[in-house]
Amino acid sequence: MRLPRRGAEPGAPPAGQPWSGRFPGFDVLDQSSHWDPATTGVVLARVGMAPDIRFFTPDEEAVATALCDQLLAQDDATEPQARVAVVNMIDARLAERQTDGWRYDDMPDDGQAWRESLAWLDADANEQFGCDFAACSRAQQGSLIHSVQNRGSDTWHGLCAERVWSLWTRYACTAFYSHPFAWNEMGFSGPAYPRGYKNAGIDRLEPFEVRDARPGDDPLRRRA
Amino acid sequence: MSNVRERNESAWLLPPDGKRVNHQLRQDMRRFEDNDEVDLLVVGCGAGGSTMLQRLARAGWKVLALDAGPFWDPDTDWVSDEAGSHHLYWTEPRVISGSDPVPLGSNNSGRGVGGSMVHYAGYTPRFHPSDFRTRTTDGVGADWPIDYSDVQPYYEAIEEELPVAGEKWPWGDPHSYPYRPHPVSGNGDIFLRGAERLGLVAKVGPVAIVNGRFGNRAHCIYRGFCLQGCKVNAKASPLITHIPDALAHGAEVRSNCMVTRIEVDERTGRATGVHYVHEGVSRFQRANVVVVAGYSIETPRLLLNSADARFPEGLCNDFDQVGRYLMVQGAPQTAGRFDEEVRMYKAPPPEVSTEAFYETDPTKPYKRGFSIQTVSPLPITWAEHVTAQGYWGADLRAYMSDYVHWSCLGALCEFLPQPDNRVTLADEKDRHGLPVAHFSYSQCDNDGALMRAAQEVMEDILRAAGADEVITIDRFAHLVGGARMAVDEQHGVVDSNCRTFAVPNLYITDGSVLPTQGSANPALTIMAVAARAADRLVAASRRGKEQP
Ligand SMILES: Cc1cc2nc3c(=O)[nH]c(=O)nc-3n(C[C@H](O)[C@H](O)[C@H](O)COP(=O)(O)OP(=O)(O)OC[C@H]3O[C@@H](n4cnc5c(N)ncnc54)[C@H](O)[C@@H]3O)c2cc1C
Ligand code: SF4
């Protein structure tokens, strides 16, 4: 199976994508023949066709897609075949009621909280910019998302804003960072059974691991 | 004491051929009828329940355990993958509240045979002697009705059975471990390096992970997925450390059985058995002794859901003690950034710890203390660390791509037991129609002070090791309490032998009975206290007090 490699090109990252190209040539899927069958099934299912949307209505799907694109910086520049179908993955969890096993007493259950918060994002977009959230410019979407985040523990349309924020980011990151494409851009070796690791320790690599091409490129220094 | 195989043969009952389950043993398992009155029935096959089951099976009792979850097969049911391990957690609905609500599920509790130890990290430190009398010595918390010396022999026994690997331990009651410490990875190296530069003592261990070979259990392969269940059988959980031996001694383990209610005979005041649901069918199992070990949330919930005419406020709840004094440990995690590649995922997350800050320091404004240990979050959990700093979008992706350069430490802060941190019943019902647990948590000032102190120490260690940036996330771990042990029924639910004050043949032997928690991970203590309770029960029955 040949799949697109995320950030596989050596050298400078594409503008605005500092996460790209740090581990030149590294593709975690190259190791899949070393994984046990139970794990292989679970991981390869994620690079196959995404499950159809069952939980979200089309309107909710539109808002969720724009929201998750923002949260995970999957923009138009993301090649379609390298895109992680985050919304389908979230939708599958909600359809199957695969929650984290708890809810705050002042929040509805996760599925309902997603529905309500997406509707309120759309309402905010219409009120402030006169169009649906999905139709807003990326800058407009960004500012609407920011304003939810900035509310902290204050309420937003009757919901505790930071609990909404935590719901969005938890589901979105769980989906995205379960995907081999995401592992490639962070140099993570993925499943490790039955082989395990032989070269643990500072700056020690397995033969199949790839060293970070830009080790000094940490977020702090980039900001400075 | 040293010939562990004579006491507990579990590791030798696992297959030697690379498979992780002895299917023959499970197939040949004894099976009781609902109408058989078993000598002892255990609700919940986790840390405390499985220990009890194995001990009583060895003593020749007719024993049966019911667990709400599956009878795991690590080969087919567990994966070497974070998101794919969601089914290891107890994810039935629960409601949380309070000024510092504690997320449950994947953060805090497991299901199925083996319980939460299936996905625990594997740290197995002992409590310190001081933990058993914090009220007397520090004026906070509670005194246990037993002492460290009562539990000490059981610590030694369980450490051999798991078995535990680590350096000679200098803190608390100094002791050594049956197995040598594991080699450390990048993350452990960073901790040791930072500690050394600060003149702080840190030690490798103690972890319940096989170093070498133990029976037919394999050596750890350092794959880092301990929190997803160990497919190697290297990390201890009752599924492999106590259940095989129990089965070989005639115990039955009935999986996928959700216990809904404990039945108490109004006339005699004794428990007669439990109601449970298996594959949608409601059944009743008779038993002479009932032991509840369903974890600090489900144990109080089951007692409250077992209210009857005699116990209108919930079983054993005459004095409003059930569900109270539930504790979590404050578990902030601080990560540091290095130009070197740490690749913290290449090792079991539990590697190195320090208990140098465990005891009350009279120069500090707070009581009791904290411990510090390596933790090694995998990508999804690491994303929580990064989003907790407020990053999303391009910033999040950039931080995440930096993963291999980060090292991460976690603290365990001894939060104090408080009566209003408790489980009650919510209005919401689960799929069986039973009210779900409502868990409320609020920190006191001492708790908050410990969180900040622990964060400072972790930042110091990482900076001393050379980190140029440190980030912290506040988390909570390890629920214990909720049906605590006390001297009398006005202060707790069970006596020093884990027998409930209210119902003479009803016992509780899980983490719920702990009156304080120290800053040690609790599983070893839960098992040791259960093993002691088993000994006491067997001794009492020999004296004719409890009929097997
Ligand atoms: C991510 C994580 C890491 C951890 N790391 C560590 C560590 O490094 N060291 C450590 O010491 N501890 C650790 N712990 C905590 C440790 O796993 C628990 O404290 C311990 O397992 C609790 O034991 P228990 O006997 O109270 O309950 P459990 O082991 O949880 O067992 C309870 C069992 O009861 C069953 N059950 C519940 N209700 C019912 C019912 N009504 N009917 C039938 N069955 C029922 C459940 O299915 C479960 O199997 C960790 C926990 C987590 C979540
Ligand atoms: S690191 Fe070792 S103990 Fe942990 S899951 Fe892997 S093999 Fe098991």
Side-chain angles (χ1 to χ4, degrees):
Chain A
M1 178 169 30
R2 275 282 26 112
L3 286 152
R5 290 162 185 246
R6 286 230 134 180
E9 311 74 26
Q17 293 195 5
W19 56 83
S20 184
R22 293 184 74 160
F23 302 93
F26 177 66
D27 187 347
V28 71
L29 291 170
D30 288 345
Q31 298 303 314
S32 59
S33 61
H34 297 278
W35 304 343
D36 69 275
T39 303
T40 310
V42 163
V43 176
L44 291 189
R46 294 183 195 133
V47 295
M49 213 185 92
D52 289 335
I53 298 288
R54 287 166 284 166
F55 180 83
F56 291 132
T57 64
D59 284 348
E60 289 162 354
E61 180 187 357
V63 187
T65 303
L67 170 66
C68 291
D69 280 355
Q70 289 272 348
L71 292 176
L72 294 160
Q74 294 210 92
D75 50 30
D76 303 338
T78 309
E79 312 147 59
Q81 76 279 27
R83 193 184 155 87
V84 177
V86 171
V87 174
N88 302 63
M89 294 163 86
I90 295 173
D91 181 90
R93 278 188 66 181
L94 296 173
E96 288 159 21
R97 303 178 64 86
Q98 199 206 83
T99 70
D100 285 329
W102 49 275
R103 68 169 176 82
Y104 294 105
D105 68 338
D106 63 357
M107 290 280 287
D109 68 62
D110 289 4
Q112 186 60 23
W114 268 100
R115 287 199 202 287
E116 286 179 24
S117 60
L118 294 173
W120 287 122
L121 262 187
D122 233 7
D124 281 6
N126 275 290
E127 189 185 311
Q128 284 188 41
F129 302 113
C131 63
D132 289 350
F133 186 77
C136 285
S137 71
R138 287 188 67 87
Q140 289 170 333
Q141 289 169 353
S143 91
L144 291 166
I145 293 170
H146 247 304
S147 73
V148 177
Q149 184 189 23
N150 288 342
R151 274 175 189 270
S153 56
D154 289 349
T155 57
W156 173 65
H157 300 292
L159 298 167
C160 169
E162 69 187 5
R163 291 178 182 173
V164 171
W165 185 255
S166 141
L167 180 83
W168 291 347
T169 53
R170 241 183 313 126
Y171 275 77
C173 288
T174 299
F176 188 76
Y177 286 102
S178 72
H179 202 287
F181 295 168
W183 299 342
N184 284 347
E185 71 187 30
M186 54 199 295
F188 173 62
S189 305
Y193 181 74
R195 179 170 53 191
Y197 295 113
K198 301 201 167 55
N199 299 307
I202 294 168
D203 271 337
R204 295 187 58 202
L205 300 186
E206 311 299 312
F208 54 87
E209 290 179 319
V210 172
R211 195 169 292 283
D212 181 7
R214 303 194 305 271
D217 191 9
D218 71 293
L220 200 63
R221 262 171 271 185
R222 211 178 305 117
R223 228 177 294 143
Chain B
M1 184 65 72
S2 64
N3 199 347
V4 62
R5 186 174 177 178
E6 283 168 19
R7 295 186 288 114
N8 180 345
E9 206 175 5
S10 292
W12 289 266
L13 291 165
L14 294 165
D17 60 0
K19 290 250 181 317
R20 306 307 179 201
V21 172
N22 183 338
H23 292 284
Q24 195 64 46
L25 187 64
R26 289 193 191 173
Q27 212 176 306
D28 296 345
M29 179 172 76
R30 180 169 185 182
R31 282 161 221 271
F32 297 100
E33 299 290 324
D34 282 346
N35 258 330
D36 292 339
E37 187 186 72
V38 296
D39 294 331
L40 179 130
L41 179 151
V42 180
V43 181
C45 253
S50 304
T51 307
M52 196 74 187
L53 187 76
Q54 183 261 347
R55 293 302 201 256
L56 274 301
R58 277 256 165 187
W61 292 34
K62 285 192 293 178
V63 292
L64 160 69
L66 304 180
D67 198 285
F71 206 156
W72 302 110
D73 176 347
D75 283 321
T76 55
D77 301 344
W78 299 350
V79 292
S80 187
D81 180 76
E82 236 182 330
S85 300
H86 198 268
H87 59 302
L88 297 186
Y89 310 122
W90 187 284
T91 53
E92 293 280 308
R94 288 163 171 172
V95 181
I96 60 173
S97 69
S99 65
D100 307 280
V102 174
L104 298 167
S106 58
N107 294 287
N108 271 311
S109 60
R111 62 191 274 263
V113 180
S116 302
M117 283 177 77
V118 163
H119 62 76
Y120 83 146
Y123 276 115
T124 46
R126 295 183 188 181
F127 280 18
H128 288 196
S130 64
D131 288 321
F132 295 77
R133 45 185 158 77
T134 62
R135 170 60 57 186
T136 301
T137 46
D138 300 295
V140 294
D143 289 353
W144 295 43
I146 54 175
D147 218 8
Y148 175 83
S149 60
D150 294 311
V151 186
Q152 192 270 351
Y154 300 96
Y155 276 143
E156 277 184 12
I158 300 283
E159 281 164 359
E160 288 183 345
E161 291 166 64
L162 295 177
V164 182
E167 288 188 82
K168 207 170 166 345
W169 216 245
W171 297 287
D173 172 28
H175 57 277
S176 50
Y177 287 108
Y179 280 76
R180 288 153 43 87
H182 286 272
V184 297
S185 73
N187 202 24
D189 266 342
I190 297 272
F191 186 178
L192 291 171
R193 178 163 94 190
E196 193 188 347
R197 288 182 187 161
L198 292 177
L200 180 70
V201 179
K203 294 283 176 188
V204 182
V207 295
I209 297 175
V210 174
N211 189 6
R213 212 178 159 81
F214 181 68
N216 294 323
R217 282 170 57 194
H219 188 289
C220 171
I221 60 169
Y222 305 110
R223 63 191 257 282
F225 283 92
C226 304
L227 274 66
Q228 285 66 39
C230 180
K231 283 182 79 73
V232 179
N233 275 358
K235 188 193 73 173
S237 88
L239 180 70
I240 55 173
T241 62
H242 288 79
I243 294 300
D245 191 66
L247 296 191
H249 286 83
E252 178 186 349
V253 171
R254 218 175 280 166
S255 52
N256 299 310
C257 292
M258 174 73 184
V259 175
T260 53
R261 181 183 172 80
I262 301 159
E263 188 68 37
V264 174
D265 185 311
E266 256 187 73
R267 195 176 47 83
T268 61
R270 291 174 62 86
T272 54
V274 303
H275 298 271
Y276 68 100
V277 182
H278 177 64
E279 295 176 344
V281 179
S282 295
R283 291 164 53 169
F284 180 74
Q285 174 68 52
R286 296 175 60 220
N288 189 40
V289 176
V290 174
V291 176
V292 183
Y295 194 72
S296 283
I297 302 286
E298 292 306 312
T299 288
R301 176 183 175 220
L302 179 60
L303 294 176
L304 295 174
N305 273 332
S306 299
D308 60 12
R310 158 69 187 85
F311 295 101
E313 301 303 321
L315 195 53
C316 304
N317 201 22
D318 288 344
F319 295 89
D320 195 17
Q321 291 290 310
V322 171
R324 289 195 187 271
Y325 301 102
L326 221 135
M327 294 162 270
V328 293
Q329 284 168 330
Q333 298 189 352
T334 301
R337 204 273 174 191
F338 299 82
D339 277 354
E340 300 147 293
E341 292 193 9
V342 182
R343 295 194 181 249
M344 58 182 162
Y345 57 86
K346 284 167 53 167
E351 291 197 283
V352 177
S353 21
T354 180
E355 291 171 13
F357 305 93
Y358 196 109
E359 302 286 341
T360 297
D361 175 348
T363 68
K364 298 286 198 265
Y366 49 78
K367 302 285 187 191
R368 305 302 296 162
F370 50 89
S371 60
I372 292 173
Q373 307 173 327
T374 47
V375 291
S376 302
L378 293 174
I380 292 172
T381 318
W382 180 240
E384 273 177 50
H385 287 245
V386 175
T387 54
Q389 312 309 311
Y391 299 123
W392 54 279
D395 290 336
L396 169 71
R397 292 277 290 278
Y399 257 94
M400 291 298 293
S401 74
D402 208 37
Y403 176 60
V404 299
H405 296 284
W406 290 77
S407 162
C408 193
L409 303 178
L412 296 177
C413 304
E414 178 176 347
F415 281 8
L416 298 172
Q418 300 182 69
D420 291 338
N421 288 339
R422 71 178 304 189
V423 166
T424 52
L425 296 177
D427 296 331
E428 187 177 331
K429 306 251 167 69
D430 70 3
R431 58 186 286 270
H432 301 294
L434 292 175
V436 307
H438 180 130
F439 174 33
S440 170
Y441 209 91
S442 303
Q443 291 172 27
C444 63
D445 292 345
N446 202 74
D447 298 345
L450 285 176
M451 291 283 277
R452 288 186 295 278
Q455 176 176 342
E456 264 175 46
V457 172
M458 291 191 288
E459 289 175 353
D460 289 347
I461 294 170
L462 290 165
R463 287 201 196 279
D468 64 351
E469 184 186 1
V470 291
I471 61 175
T472 295
I473 173 173
D474 284 346
R475 301 179 59 127
F476 307 95
H478 304 155
L479 280 79
V480 294
R484 71 177 180 177
M485 182 187 280
V487 285
D488 61 41
E489 57 200 354
Q490 304 185 20
H491 296 91
V493 179
V494 299
D495 68 13
S496 60
N497 296 332
C498 296
R499 169 147 86 164
T500 61
F501 290 112
V503 181
N505 64 336
L506 178 64
Y507 289 73
I508 300 174
T509 66
D510 59 4
S512 314
V513 303
L514 271 47
T516 64
Q517 58 177 346
S519 31
N521 323 56
L524 178 81
T525 300
I526 294 170
M527 293 181 116
V529 168
R532 179 178 178 275
D535 260 10
R536 312 288 292 186
L537 179 56
V538 171
S541 84
R542 291 214 177 103
R543 293 197 306 272
K545 285 199 174 164
E546 201 62 70
Q547 281 300 307

